[in-house]
Amino acid sequence: PGSAPPRGAPPMFTDRGPVAARAAAAGPSTRTHSPVPSDPATPGGSTTSITLNGTMTLAAGTFAAGTATTINVAGDWTNNGATFTPGAGTVVFNGAGAQNINGTTAAKTFNNLTVNKSGGTLTAGGSTTSITLNGTMTLTAGTFAAGTATTINVAGDWTNNGATFTPGAGTVVFN
């Protein structure tokens, strides 16, 4: 279980093995991953940016943002019972089509969250009832719909630079 990707292929988080060591040894500071971690996974070394061209699926275990200050997500963010430790970074949803924050875990926590979509809507769905931001919410482009999230907790600023927010029946709490 768990082996390094072929030379020249993007490194991948797998469900086994010392992911941080493989990611740190894989090369430059921007990497493309297809993570499905079920063992502890933490980017380290010079990793400052993670780019996901598809869905982030957290099945079990812990995924810590580590040294990654930016996690770009072009697909869905699906948490089915794992722990995401956001660190001090920003998760940027930047897919061209519909995206979802979903999964079986009711509460989703991020540090900073940015919506910067060229099309489609980012929607809270699945079992998501609350989204907690330890930092800021930035709406740059596209649409963010609260969907099934009845509460969005924001510890920092909420900045809308021209995007659309669809609150639904939920509440945004600034704390």
Side-chain angles (χ1 to χ4, degrees):
S3 63
R7 186 169 196 84
M12 300 177 82
F13 286 138
T14 64
D15 61 354
R16 301 282 183 260
V19 175
R22 283 198 309 271
S29 64
T30 299
R31 297 187 174 85
T32 301
H33 301 275
S34 299
V36 185
S38 62
D39 288 336
T42 304
S46 63
T47 302
T48 57
S49 179
I50 298 173
T51 298
L52 304 171
N53 294 323
T55 294
M56 164 65 107
T57 300
L58 301 169
T62 299
F63 175 67
T67 59
T69 56
T70 305
I71 301 174
N72 295 295
V73 182
D76 293 345
W77 183 280
T78 303
N79 189 333
N80 290 326
T83 299
F84 172 59
T85 305
T90 300
V91 174
V92 179
F93 287 91
N94 57 8
Q99 291 179 268
N100 296 286
I101 298 172
N102 59 20
T104 59
T105 303
K108 309 294 192 295
T109 300
F110 301 92
N111 186 50
N112 301 316
L113 189 106
T114 297
V115 178
N116 189 13
K117 300 179 55 52
S118 60
T121 298
L122 171 63
T123 304
S127 296
T128 305
T129 57
S130 71
I131 296 174
T132 298
L133 304 179
N134 298 331
T136 63
M137 166 64 93
T138 304
L139 302 173
T140 302
T143 300
F144 172 54
T148 59
T150 55
T151 305
I152 300 173
N153 297 295
V154 182
D157 294 332
W158 178 293
T159 303
N160 188 336
N161 293 321
T164 301
F165 173 60
T166 306
T171 303
V172 176
V173 177
F174 293 95
N175 48 13

